[in-house]
Amino acid sequence: TFAPDGRAPDAGEIWRSPDHARTLRSIAETRAESFYRGELAEQIDAFFRKHGGFLSKEDLAQYRPEWVDPISVNYRGYDIWEIPPNGQGLVALIALNILKGMDFDAKDTVATYHKQIEAVKLAYVDGLKYITDPRSMKVTVQELLSGAYAEQRRALIGMEAFLPLAGEPPKGGTVYLAAADGEGNMVSFIQSHSGDFGSGIVIPGTGICMQNRGAGFSMDPDHANVLAPRKKTYHTIIPGFITKDGMPVGPFGVMCGSIQPQAHVQVVMNAIDFHLNPQATLDAPRWRWIKEKIIEVEPQFPDHIAQALARRGHVVQRALDSGMFGRGQIIWRD
């Protein structure tokens, strides 16, 4: 399907995908009905029945897209918006909620990076423990974003790197697109197969490559993301949006799995705390938390900051390329 002559296309070579063309035409002409309740659904169903899979045309027919209310925190006068769970945008908001109670004198200081890293670690362990299909969550978004909980988590950040644990809140292969038009309409959009070719399954004759989001499920019965019928698992793709005083500032997003909420925090702070323009906000070298005390930094990350973070107990690893730090887009209405 993707290398019809047994090789990747050369630069400048015309590449055709007639299966995709037929599929897209069918989706357009039927307003997507063919994918969920028509000929494409029949082809998907036949393929999975032939190979002992679990996706059926009945599953496709029962699917309905959902309109959801985005979630937000106010960060230094700007409202930062994310898609609600089952997406991981909540991780970025938890971290920003912690960080907004701290002072930052400059961008490239060890104190700034240390506080960012520790806040993201705290947010991430909460996200990994609690985020799942909202119908199955044991705590609410409001509880995780409460001021009291942010203060409690903020108090855990000291001068040294530490091993984060999830807290107990009080009970009560990705493509990103930012678009705007002359009338002020804006769109923050993201789509992903989860992996270079998703699940690696292509439905013959359609060009359709099946995604791999089921990898986010757990077989542990006590896990928040335990596999269950009709359930949505923890999801990494998160489009972001910024408003101020009820007016749109613009869409933003960064691609690449687990870096996304971490990059959202860094991008938002670059723009709001450190007043970088959108291009500089994206170009600034990023870090990403891996696990425990391990962080990885981009090749161009300042060496003196990396060494200072190491002296604070962070296990700093320098990446050989920027591939896992995500590409991004921002539109900022001036």
Side-chain angles (χ1 to χ4, degrees):
T1 298
F2 298 99
D5 297 320
R7 58 174 178 80
D10 293 326
E13 180 180 356
I14 294 176
W15 180 82
R16 296 176 176 85
S17 186
D19 289 346
H20 281 93
R22 283 192 299 271
T23 291
L24 290 171
R25 186 174 293 112
S26 174
I27 289 172
E29 290 175 350
T30 66
R31 297 178 63 84
E33 280 296 298
S34 65
F35 187 91
Y36 295 103
R37 286 164 283 276
E39 60 171 334
L40 293 172
E42 293 285 350
Q43 288 175 272
I44 293 169
D45 180 82
F47 180 85
F48 279 92
R49 277 191 285 110
K50 178 180 177 181
H51 294 283
F54 296 98
L55 184 65
S56 70
K57 59 184 179 183
E58 287 78 19
D59 294 322
L60 293 167
Q62 289 180 33
Y63 176 77
R64 295 292 184 276
E66 297 178 25
W67 286 101
V68 296
D69 292 323
I71 57 177
S72 70
V73 297
N74 186 275
Y75 185 79
R76 309 198 196 287
Y78 290 85
D79 290 312
I80 313 301
W81 297 88
E82 299 279 0
I83 293 294
N86 56 318
Q88 63 174 348
L90 178 56
V91 172
L93 298 185
I94 293 172
L96 288 170
N97 219 27
I98 294 170
L99 289 162
K100 73 180 185 183
M102 298 178 165
D103 296 322
F104 297 92
D105 298 326
K107 177 183 179 299
D108 286 323
T109 70
V110 65
T112 291
Y113 284 108
H114 173 74
K115 291 173 185 175
Q116 288 178 331
I117 291 165
E118 298 300 275
V120 162
K121 285 158 61 176
L122 286 166
Y124 234 116
V125 292
D126 277 349
L128 292 172
K129 179 173 181 178
Y130 295 118
I131 293 174
T132 184
D133 189 312
R135 295 166 296 186
S136 302
M137 282 183 63
K138 298 176 182 177
V139 297
T140 67
V141 169
Q142 291 74 23
E143 288 164 351
L144 288 165
L145 291 180
S146 73
Y149 187 59
E151 185 176 349
Q152 174 189 332
R153 301 296 269 168
R154 189 182 304 123
L156 298 174
I157 299 177
M159 296 295 290
E160 300 290 323
F162 75 112
L163 290 172
L165 298 173
E168 293 291 339
K171 288 297 184 291
T174 305
V175 175
Y176 176 77
L177 173 71
D181 66 16
E183 297 178 346
N185 298 301
M186 299 180 181
V187 176
S188 185
F189 176 86
I190 197 163
Q191 189 272 343
S192 177
H193 264 31
S194 185
D196 292 343
F197 284 92
S199 60
I201 294 172
V202 178
I203 308 302
T206 68
I208 295 171
C209 181
M210 306 301 289
Q211 46 93 337
N212 198 36
R213 287 292 156 187
F217 281 118
S218 170
M219 303 310 290
D220 178 355
D222 296 323
H223 197 285
N225 284 296
V226 61
L227 181 65
R230 311 285 178 260
K231 184 179 179 182
K232 297 179 180 179
T233 186
Y234 181 100
H235 209 303
T236 61
I237 57 173
I238 51 170
F241 205 93
I242 300 174
T243 62
K244 185 174 174 63
D245 300 326
M247 297 298 292
V249 174
F252 74 98
V254 179
M255 296 159 266
C256 201
S258 63
I259 186 66
Q260 290 181 57
Q262 307 187 54
H264 280 208
V265 169
Q266 294 171 70
V267 163
V268 165
M269 291 187 69
N270 286 347
I272 295 174
D273 287 275
F274 308 124
H275 313 294
L276 300 186
N277 69 48
Q279 189 63 59
T281 288
L282 291 172
D283 287 345
R286 291 193 273 272
W287 52 266
R288 65 184 190 119
W289 177 58
I290 306 297
K291 63 178 181 178
E292 299 171 346
K293 296 183 181 181
I294 300 172
I295 60 167
E296 189 176 52
V297 299
E298 282 198 85
Q300 65 271 39
F301 190 89
D303 191 60
H304 69 287
I305 300 292
Q307 292 185 35
L309 288 170
R311 288 192 292 271
R312 291 202 181 198
H314 299 278
V315 180
V316 182
Q317 300 175 351
R318 190 176 293 278
L320 296 177
D321 60 53
S322 296
M324 294 305 296
F325 292 87
R327 301 169 310 285
Q329 294 184 36
I330 301 174
I331 295 175
W332 191 282
R333 188 177 192 180
D334 59 25

